Amino acid sequence: MIPFLDLRAQYQSVKSEIDAAVLSVLASGQYILGEEVLRLEQEFADYCKVKHAIAVNTGTSALHLSLLAAGVGPGDEVITVPFTFVATVSAICYTGATPVFVDVEPVTLTMDPAQLEAKITSRTKAIIPVHLYGQMADMDGIMAVADHHGIPVIEDACQAHGARYKGASAGSIGASGCFSFYPGKNLGACGEGGIAVTNSDEQAKTMRMLRDWGQEQRYHHLLKGFNYRMDAIQGAILRVKLRHLEAWTEARRSHGRRYSSLLAGASHLRTPAEAAERRHVYHVYAIRSHDRDGLQRVLAAEGIPSGLHYPIPVHLQKAHADLGYRVGDFPVSEAAAREVLSLPIYPEMPVQHVDQVAAALEYAYVS
């Protein structure tokens, strides 16, 4: 069996560092926020080349607080894409605002800037592009429309730690950027975690208060806040892992290039494209095929797991039927949902496993 993801392999590679970091927190008696989380914030802000990072309990919370700090609330509209994990849309709903969708580009599967203008109304208060699978959206095109209308952009970078667009780090271009530290992410905690980054002093201050019950100081509550605090053990673990992120990213990119090279001759299969002047970090390596389900069965028969990211776009999910969208409203997203198939990829993955997966896919076409 080839694992889809092997978190134990990553832990073993940095075991002594993580164990020491966790034991240090346990000995300190400081388990919520504290020095380890503060240092993580400083180090992650430096990594993203921004002024502020605000550590929270999940990537969804980072999105929620970023929206609130941008002034989004009931009666407002927020534009995003339907081809994403549902958390992007859930965070909008948490604020009381209404999600409004635009379709994605057919190659990168990220927000199509050409469709933004038609969806902007007097109620539009934010735009959330999703840096899907580890590749950033067309931020020049998105920012041009957003800046023209004075609308803040909040980058959903939950799958894009270390991704870049024309040299700029994910999360550093918009008003804020949001990352998830879910264990399977490129930078993953040993539990839940997330972080928001921004260059705005005011938004950073607001998010820091909102994550901790709206307190400016203990028991002085200026805002109606939340318990979105990061625990210190996760902060300590993430600090260790952040030091290895670039090496892990290059390993992912190497596996992605190898997959693409080996599968280049598969005529009925499309490999992911790295757009010009973007650094794809391959959180997910998703191929596309009109016979996606058949390919998945072939892989399973060879003991190779695969994933579907994502089989139903958000506008067709029953949970969001109240938004009133129908089949055919976003044809690119709907086609992607029918065709994408995610292959095993993680930094510690043996090269021979990449070769085995590619060989199984090639065999599927021959057979």
Side-chain angles (χ1 to χ4, degrees):
M1 175 69 75
I2 294 174
F4 185 77
L5 174 67
D6 191 347
L7 296 179
R8 290 172 297 183
Q10 184 172 96
Y11 169 61
Q12 288 299 325
S13 73
V14 290
K15 182 179 186 301
S16 60
E17 294 175 76
I18 287 181
D19 290 357
V22 170
L23 290 173
S24 176
V25 172
L26 294 177
S28 75
Q30 191 172 45
Y31 302 142
I32 303 295
L33 296 176
E35 188 66 23
E36 289 293 339
V37 173
L38 177 60
R39 289 184 179 180
L40 171 67
E41 291 174 333
Q42 294 167 340
E43 291 162 9
F44 196 77
D46 289 343
Y47 180 76
C48 294
K49 297 180 174 60
V50 295
K51 288 179 65 177
H52 304 285
I54 303 91
V56 291
N57 59 339
T58 67
T60 311
S61 297
L63 286 164
H64 184 198
L65 297 191
S66 290
L67 286 162
L68 293 176
V72 176
D76 295 335
E77 294 176 350
V78 177
I79 300 175
T80 191
V81 294
F83 194 61
T84 181
F85 182 59
V86 71
T88 310
V89 177
S90 296
I92 297 169
C93 295
Y94 293 168
T95 70
T98 300
V100 174
F101 295 121
V102 298
D103 213 344
V104 296
E105 296 178 329
V107 176
T108 65
L109 301 182
T110 58
M111 180 178 280
D112 185 351
Q115 300 190 33
L116 271 175
E117 191 75 43
K119 294 299 179 77
I120 292 174
T121 72
S122 60
R123 295 184 297 278
T124 305
K125 293 298 172 65
I127 297 170
I128 304 182
V130 178
H131 301 328
L132 192 73
Y133 298 159
Q135 178 159 231
M136 292 180 66
D138 178 358
M139 292 304 293
D140 280 355
I142 293 165
M143 294 301 297
V145 177
D147 290 345
H148 176 72
H149 291 274
I151 299 170
V153 170
I154 296 169
E155 299 175 57
D156 183 339
C158 288
Q159 300 181 6
H161 316 68
R164 297 189 192 120
Y165 179 89
K166 296 185 176 180
S169 298
S172 69
I173 298 175
S176 61
C178 303
F179 297 83
S180 167
F181 296 137
Y182 184 77
K185 295 298 171 71
N186 292 30
L187 180 60
C190 294
E192 297 278 8
I195 205 164
V197 299
T198 183
N199 285 309
S200 167
D201 297 343
E202 182 180 353
Q203 290 197 21
K205 180 180 179 181
T206 298
M207 285 191 271
R208 290 188 194 283
M209 285 192 289
L210 286 172
R211 73 171 173 188
D212 190 17
W213 297 114
Q215 300 178 104
E216 185 176 40
Q217 55 181 301
R218 192 165 179 81
Y219 302 132
H220 292 252
H221 302 269
L222 275 64
L223 303 170
K224 294 178 180 178
F226 309 88
N227 182 5
Y228 283 175
R229 300 170 299 201
M230 176 179 281
D231 74 70
I233 286 178
Q234 301 308 330
I237 291 169
L238 288 163
R239 288 187 64 215
V240 169
K241 289 191 170 188
L242 181 57
R243 296 196 289 269
H244 299 273
L245 180 57
E246 280 301 298
W248 291 340
T249 297
E250 287 307 316
R252 284 180 177 272
R253 285 174 52 77
S254 177
H255 292 333
R257 288 191 296 268
R258 189 171 185 87
Y259 267 137
S260 294
S261 176
L262 293 171
L263 296 172
S267 59
H268 298 292
L269 179 155
R270 280 181 286 171
T271 57
E274 183 176 54
E277 299 187 89
R278 300 184 213 184
R279 185 201 197 198
H280 199 320
V281 297
Y282 293 105
H283 170 59
V284 169
Y285 187 93
I287 60 172
R288 296 183 66 175
S289 172
H290 294 305
D291 188 25
R292 184 265 309 282
D293 295 341
L295 287 185
Q296 189 169 41
R297 287 192 294 271
V298 168
L299 291 177
E302 296 292 323
I304 300 170
S306 55
L308 304 180
H309 299 90
Y310 299 95
I312 304 174
V314 181
H315 72 287
L316 299 181
Q317 295 281 358
K318 289 183 180 180
H320 294 287
D322 60 315
L323 297 175
Y325 293 106
R326 299 179 179 178
V327 173
D329 284 345
F330 304 102
V332 181
S333 293
E334 292 168 28
R338 293 190 299 269
E339 296 174 359
V340 292
L341 182 66
S342 305
L343 306 183
I345 192 168
Y346 56 95
E348 302 79 16
M349 185 176 181
V351 172
Q352 60 265 34
H353 284 186
V354 176
D355 294 350
Q356 285 178 248
V357 175
L361 288 168
E362 289 178 319
Y363 172 77
Y365 287 111
V366 172
S367 60

